[in-house]
């Protein structure tokens, strides 16, 4: 059995991050709601628990609490923020509202070295709390403070119980990953031998058991998740799998080529590439409303896919690239526990409409782990490390009417921007275990439905405008605009105006999310 840490979710927006950080230390972590029944929790045979933060006060009548069996398990515990407060309350300490809410960076002071913290931690840590600890429970001692929190860290080394008022899981706490690493490796004594690819064999077995001799269908979009899911299923069931790629005409430049390259070799004639662009353009003709575009694209996609499935004798199984954050998000939505920032947009919602059993090989993986598995399975790295792309494709980046001419203009401008960023090493790329991603998390061109006056040669021009969007983010729920070098922007602008007919002006979007969203529509 792989050494496993259970992260109990008390509703913080950072709960997923805790599980990810733990997995980055090569220890398998599972995120479960705080009130998951005992048998389900203990079935994992955990080596320790991390209690996440959460939005409530421990004195709220609705406040989640630490279930008795967790404490009775005598396993190591680490409470973070709300988790620390819940632990304090459960073990007989005192939690009280702070006079000043503490939010943002704080300096860790007076560290008392322990298995969890050492003198090199901090000084900067990320705080986000109202309540604070006034008195540690019996058996605990204070391990560090900040200006506003006399008890910023506490521990009872004999019982291996620890609590942190700050958030070690966020990048704004530079020594946070090391602190979490010490908890899971030194205190919980996990082996640290889990790697994303270690689940490949296990997943292949599971798929084979689920599917037996039946046929499986997959819709590949050129996106990372559907590609890696399809490659895993292909490894498991070979030519029982048929992959369908629907070219909507709204794909990025070269999309078809990547898909062909990724799957043709292994799937041969079981890769079906359909050019449905005419149908999409005709259904979208004259439509400018973003939500209407989305629903028409979703409907059209479903209809095309359904008829293809019928042609193929209605295979009973469908591959779905659901990843762990999707699972966690929909679970939270059902329980209305974590506060939802973004509605989940899923165009092409096939499963609700069609009678398939789902094969979901990526259900327990985070995005960067999916990428690592994709590489391991031999998918082209351009595909595996590419940025997220919205389901409705360029339709939501081509503002206004959708015509093949306008979309082609956008594809060209977008390809130039991508090429220049790639040459500058600023697209997502893998840099190592500690910092799997750097560069822009998402970057693209947007074609605006306005015309501007320009002058080219001695001629007056009246052409359309391209906006460039480049953002940095960890989770796509909030984002900042990327501070791209001026010279790079100048090169992109020059090339777009010179190489893309019908564009005479390029602007750069300098809005964060919130208040803007990442996409323009
Ligand atoms: P927003 O624009 O909401 O985007 O800040 C957040 C992330 O979601 C992607 N996105 C979509 N993905 N269907 C999708 O599958 C959609 O309709 C859609 N809209 C936005 C967006 O690219 C970004 O990564």
């Amino acid at each position: 059995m792989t050494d496993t840490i259970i992260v109990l979710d008390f509703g913080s927006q950072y709960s997923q991050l805790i599980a990810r950080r733990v997995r980055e230390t090569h220890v398998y972590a599972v995120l479960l709601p705080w009130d998951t029944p005992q048998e389900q929790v203990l079935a994992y045979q955990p080596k320790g628990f991390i209690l996440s933060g959460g939005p409530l006060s421990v004195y709220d009548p609705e406040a989640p609490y630490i279930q008795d069996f967790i404490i009775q398990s005598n396993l190591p515990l680490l409470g973070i923020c709300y988790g620390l407060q819940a632990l304090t309350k459960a073990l007989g300490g005192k939690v009280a509202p702070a006079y000043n809410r503490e939010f943002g960076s704080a300096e860790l002071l007076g560290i008392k070295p322990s298995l969890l913290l050492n003198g090199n931690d901090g000084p900067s840590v990320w705080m986000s709390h109202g309540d604070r600890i006034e008195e540690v429970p019996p058996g605990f001692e204070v391990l560090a403070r900040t200006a506003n929190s006399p008890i910023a860290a506490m521990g009872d080394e004999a019982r291996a119980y620890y609590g942190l008022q700050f958030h070690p899981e966020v990048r704004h706490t530079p020594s946070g990953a090391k602190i979490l690493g010490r908890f899971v490796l030194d205190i919980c004594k996990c082996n640290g031998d889990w790697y994303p690819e270690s689940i490949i064999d296990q997943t292949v077995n599971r798929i084979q058991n689920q599917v037996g001799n039946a046929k499986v269908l997959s819709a590949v979009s050129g996106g990372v998740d559907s590609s890696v899911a399809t490659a895993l299923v292909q490894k498991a069931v070979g030519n029982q799998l048929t992959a369908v790629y629907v070219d909507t005409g709204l794909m990025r430049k070269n999309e078809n080529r990547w898909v062909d390259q990724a799957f043709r070799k292994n799937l041969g004639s079981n890769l079906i590439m359909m050019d449905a662009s005419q149908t999409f353009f005709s259904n979208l003709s004259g439509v400018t409303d973003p939500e209407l575009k989305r629903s028409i694209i979703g409907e059209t996609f479903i209809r095309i896919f359904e008829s293809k499935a019928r042609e193929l004798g209605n295979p009973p199984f469908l591959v779905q690239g659901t990843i762990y954050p999707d699972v966690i998000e929909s679970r939270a939505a059902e329980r209305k526990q974590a506060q939802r920032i973004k509605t989940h947009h899923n165009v092409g919602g096939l499963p609700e409409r069609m009678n398939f059993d789902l094969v979901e090989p990526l259900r327990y993986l985070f995005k960067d782990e999916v990428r690592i598995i994709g590489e391991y399975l031999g998918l082209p790295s351009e595909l595996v490390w590419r940025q997220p792309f919205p389901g409705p494709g360029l339709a939501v980046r081509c503002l206004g009417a959708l015509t093949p001419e306008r979309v082609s203009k956008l594809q060209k401008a977008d390809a130039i921007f991508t090429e220049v960023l790639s040459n500058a090493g600023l697209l997502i790329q893998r840099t190592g275990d500690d910092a799997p991603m750097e560069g822009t998390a998402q970057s693209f061109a947007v074609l605006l439905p306005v015309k501007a006056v320009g002058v080219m040669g001695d001629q007056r021009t009246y052409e359309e405008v391209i906006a460039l969007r480049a953002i940095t983010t960890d989770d796509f729920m909030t984002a900042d605009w990327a501070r791209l070098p001026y010279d790079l922007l100048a090169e992109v602008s020059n090339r777009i105006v010179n190489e893309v007919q019908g564009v005479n002006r390029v602007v750069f979007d300098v809005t964060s999310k919130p208040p803007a969203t990442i996409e323009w529509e």
Side-chain angles (χ1 to χ4, degrees):
M1 185 104 181
T2 315
D3 287 348
T4 301
I5 293 291
I6 303 280
V7 181
L8 289 171
D9 186 1
F10 288 91
S12 157
Q13 283 176 46
Y14 300 134
S15 304
Q16 280 190 43
L17 262 186
I18 302 174
R20 269 182 51 184
R21 293 285 173 263
V22 171
R23 289 191 188 181
E24 282 166 19
T25 67
H26 303 300
V27 171
Y28 190 60
V30 176
L31 179 63
L32 295 176
W34 65 274
D35 56 352
T36 305
Q38 178 169 359
E39 322 75 74
Q40 276 179 44
V41 174
L42 297 184
Y44 286 96
Q45 301 180 17
K47 303 276 280 188
F49 293 99
I50 300 181
L51 320 169
S52 86
L56 297 179
S57 156
V58 284
Y59 290 115
D60 198 298
E62 312 260 281
Y65 53 89
I66 304 171
Q67 300 186 84
D68 288 343
F69 77 88
I70 306 275
I71 295 188
Q72 284 153 12
S73 72
N74 290 326
L75 289 165
L77 298 178
L78 171 64
I80 294 174
C81 196
Y82 182 90
L84 155 81
Q85 293 156 8
L87 189 63
T88 302
K89 182 161 181 255
L91 299 179
K94 203 164 138 205
V95 185
Y99 299 113
N100 298 313
R101 285 182 64 84
E102 209 178 0
F103 182 82
S105 263
E107 198 167 318
L108 208 56
L109 303 165
I111 296 176
K112 177 169 189 305
S114 61
L115 280 177
L116 189 68
L117 298 181
N118 68 40
N120 297 326
D121 290 329
S124 193
V125 294
W126 188 257
M127 289 286 194
S128 170
H129 64 106
D131 292 354
R132 68 179 197 186
I133 308 303
E134 296 269 290
E135 217 178 284
V136 299
F140 278 77
E141 55 183 345
V142 178
L143 299 180
R145 61 187 156 81
T146 65
N148 253 320
S149 297
I151 305 170
M154 65 179 200
D156 173 347
E157 300 239 271
R159 288 187 285 179
Y161 290 170
Y162 296 87
L164 300 171
Q165 185 59 79
F166 59 89
H167 289 273
E169 68 275 23
V170 303
R171 295 267 187 236
H172 304 291
T173 300
S175 48
K178 286 207 186 87
I179 297 173
L180 285 171
R182 278 181 225 131
F183 179 69
V184 300
L185 297 167
D186 302 341
I187 297 170
C188 299
K189 307 219 176 339
C190 292
N191 266 330
D193 57 0
W194 181 85
Y195 289 83
E197 58 270 29
S198 22
I199 73 143
I200 292 180
D201 288 343
Q202 192 187 329
T203 308
V204 162
N205 280 336
R206 215 180 52 225
I207 300 169
Q208 287 166 341
N209 287 336
Q210 183 189 1
V211 166
N213 295 323
K215 295 267 183 220
V216 187
L217 197 57
S218 174
V220 284
S221 64
V224 179
D225 303 341
S226 73
S227 299
V228 177
T230 302
L232 253 176
V233 176
Q234 196 280 322
K235 190 174 163 67
V237 300
N239 64 9
Q240 282 164 250
L241 171 73
T242 301
V244 177
Y245 168 78
V246 179
D247 180 0
T248 59
L250 302 163
M251 306 303 214
R252 281 164 292 188
K253 209 174 154 193
N254 292 333
E255 196 82 50
N256 303 8
R257 203 171 77 207
W258 295 132
V259 171
D260 194 76
Q261 203 172 311
F263 296 108
R264 180 68 64 201
K265 197 170 81 220
N266 286 322
L267 285 171
S269 60
N270 284 2
L271 173 65
I272 297 175
M273 303 198 64
M274 303 175 66
D275 179 1
S277 49
Q278 276 192 350
T279 313
F280 278 90
F281 279 117
S282 120
N283 291 358
L284 287 162
S285 162
V287 175
T288 55
D289 177 75
E291 290 309 307
L292 192 55
K293 281 181 185 175
R294 279 193 167 84
S295 81
I296 292 174
I297 292 168
E299 277 298 313
T300 309
F301 189 89
I302 289 172
R303 249 176 277 133
I304 292 173
F305 197 79
E306 264 170 350
S307 79
K308 196 51 159 185
R310 261 197 310 275
E311 244 177 68
L312 294 167
N314 284 324
F317 289 99
L318 179 73
V319 180
Q320 189 83 355
T322 319
I323 65 173
Y324 202 37
D326 303 333
V327 174
I328 294 168
E329 244 189 72
S330 44
R331 192 167 65 193
E334 270 165 30
R335 303 167 64 96
K336 296 206 169 29
Q337 179 188 310
Q339 284 179 318
R340 277 184 24 124
I341 307 284
K342 169 188 92 157
T343 41
H344 204 74
H345 0 236
N346 220 350
V347 166
L350 291 171
E352 292 105 67
R353 294 284 309 271
M354 299 174 79
N355 236 351
F356 285 111
D357 281 333
L358 297 182
V359 182
E360 300 179 306
L362 311 177
R363 251 185 106 76
Y364 301 103
L365 296 168
F366 288 111
K367 190 81 174 192
D368 28 1
E369 297 166 350
V370 169
R371 295 184 200 273
I372 291 168
I373 288 185
E375 272 199 328
Y376 206 82
L377 293 171
L379 293 176
S381 64
E382 290 86 346
L383 193 155
V384 168
W385 290 97
R386 73 194 320 194
Q387 300 182 340
F389 186 63
L394 296 181
V396 292
R397 296 178 179 172
C398 185
L399 276 47
L402 291 160
T403 61
E405 297 69 34
R406 292 192 77 230
V407 170
S408 155
K409 217 187 258 187
L410 175 58
Q411 279 171 334
K412 286 178 191 150
D414 188 65
I416 291 170
F417 189 27
T418 305
E419 184 189 320
V420 174
L421 282 170
S422 169
N423 291 343
L426 287 173
L427 288 181
I428 287 180
Q429 53 185 286
R430 192 172 173 193
T431 54
D433 278 347
D434 242 12
M437 286 195 267
E438 68 171 21
T440 55
Q442 207 171 2
S443 47
F444 50 87
V446 179
L447 182 63
L448 305 188
V450 288
K451 286 191 161 188
V453 172
V455 54
M456 266 179 152
D458 286 334
Q459 296 288 316
R460 175 187 189 272
T461 59
Y462 187 51
E463 313 272 28
E464 289 189 303
V465 180
I466 283 283
L468 304 175
R469 182 81 164 136
I471 54 117
T472 57
T473 179
D474 248 358
D475 57 11
F476 296 88
M477 296 192 185
T478 61
D480 199 5
W481 56 278
R483 302 323 195 242
L484 296 181
Y486 285 170
D487 287 349
L488 180 142
L489 289 171
E491 183 187 348
V492 176
S493 162
N494 273 335
R495 281 196 52 193
I496 290 179
V497 172
N498 285 321
E499 295 173 34
V500 183
Q501 277 237 321
V503 174
N504 69 355
R505 199 174 283 256
V506 175
V507 298
F508 184 49
D509 183 348
V510 289
T511 331
S512 60
K513 171 186 177 176
T517 52
I518 296 171
E519 302 290 346
W520 277 47
E521 283 192 340

